[in-house]
Amino acid sequence: MTLSEIRPRRARVSWRPAAFAILALMLVQASVLYGMGRLWICACGTIRLWVGDIWSDEMSQQITDWYTFSHIVHGFLFYGLLHLVSARTPVLTRLAVAVGIEAAWEIAENTPWVIEAYRQQALARGYVGDSILNSLMDTVSMMTGFTLAYLLPWRVTVALALVMEIAVGWLVHDNLTLNILNFIHRFPAIEAWQSSVK
């Protein structure tokens, strides 16, 4: 009997169920958004990799924009939370759970009530909801953040989150933290500061 036969074999965790669940959740996300009247791509008829003008009608319509960084931070947060509450659950299963949370938020974010709530904010007065392309890419961005949090030391992940929040906040006067604050309560000083962005 060889040494390899004596050692217990590690249980192999298949990635297929998690991948199937993630694809199914994203398909549900896209289908529900379509049923809610969301357009597949920007009404402008073009697809762009990046939109940098915070006042552009194509914000939240294209592949990536300034809010992509917020969704990457979502991934950091979801990884940390799910690691705390269920560290023994396979990481791919936790990723599928995170996709479910993100997909649910993306659907909620495009309901008339949330769209109207966003429109009350200084930087979202022309907000009409996301295109399906943008919404799906927001979920992909969350998965990117989740994967980075899994691969990187936690201190690096925290540093990245801070850099993203501070840099985006400085450049366009908005980030995940401000978005949440403004959604909960409108602060006149923040609104005035955000309205001054060019």
Side-chain angles (χ1 to χ4, degrees):
M1 183 175 289
T2 65
L3 184 60
S4 62
E5 290 173 325
I6 295 171
R7 288 177 179 168
R9 293 182 179 178
R10 288 184 179 178
R12 292 183 180 178
V13 179
S14 175
W15 55 268
R16 289 184 179 85
F20 178 80
I22 289 167
L23 289 173
L25 287 164
M26 293 182 72
L27 180 60
V28 168
Q29 176 184 341
S31 299
V32 172
L33 291 173
Y34 181 74
M36 292 166 63
R38 298 290 94 206
L39 298 175
W40 283 103
I41 64 170
C42 176
C44 62
T46 60
I47 296 176
R48 302 184 202 285
L49 178 62
W50 167 258
V51 176
D53 180 2
I54 197 71
W55 298 111
S56 172
D57 291 340
E58 295 183 38
M59 189 63 58
S60 298
Q61 299 297 306
Q62 299 292 356
I63 294 174
T64 59
D65 52 43
W66 288 109
Y67 296 103
T68 298
F69 298 101
S70 293
H71 292 279
I72 293 172
V73 176
H74 283 184
F76 294 163
L77 296 172
F78 293 163
Y79 176 82
L81 177 63
L82 292 170
H83 180 75
L84 286 174
V85 302
S86 189
R88 295 190 178 189
T89 301
V91 70
L92 289 175
T93 302
R94 283 181 273 146
L95 176 59
V97 171
V99 169
I101 298 169
E102 183 76 6
W105 167 247
E106 287 295 321
I107 291 167
E109 187 181 34
N110 285 281
T111 58
W113 182 82
V114 176
I115 289 173
E116 186 56 36
Y118 272 130
R119 283 178 180 167
Q120 303 307 312
Q121 299 182 25
L123 290 176
R125 285 178 185 147
Y127 181 62
V128 295
D130 299 345
S131 69
I132 297 173
L133 171 65
N134 177 264
S135 182
L136 291 173
M137 291 309 299
D138 285 348
T139 300
V140 171
S141 298
M142 184 284 298
M143 289 193 287
T144 301
F146 188 101
T147 303
L148 287 172
Y150 170 68
L151 295 173
L152 298 172
W154 71 266
R155 288 181 179 84
V156 175
T157 302
V158 171
L160 277 176
L162 290 173
V163 166
M164 287 182 191
E165 284 289 275
I166 293 168
V168 175
W170 180 67
L171 289 167
V172 296
H173 296 198
D174 206 6
N175 55 28
L176 180 60
T177 304
L178 291 170
N179 204 278
I180 293 170
L181 282 174
N182 285 330
F183 194 78
I184 295 170
H185 179 76
R186 292 170 64 189
F187 296 90
I190 293 177
E191 287 192 335
W193 178 65
Q194 289 183 317
S195 296
S196 69
V197 70
K198 296 178 180 180

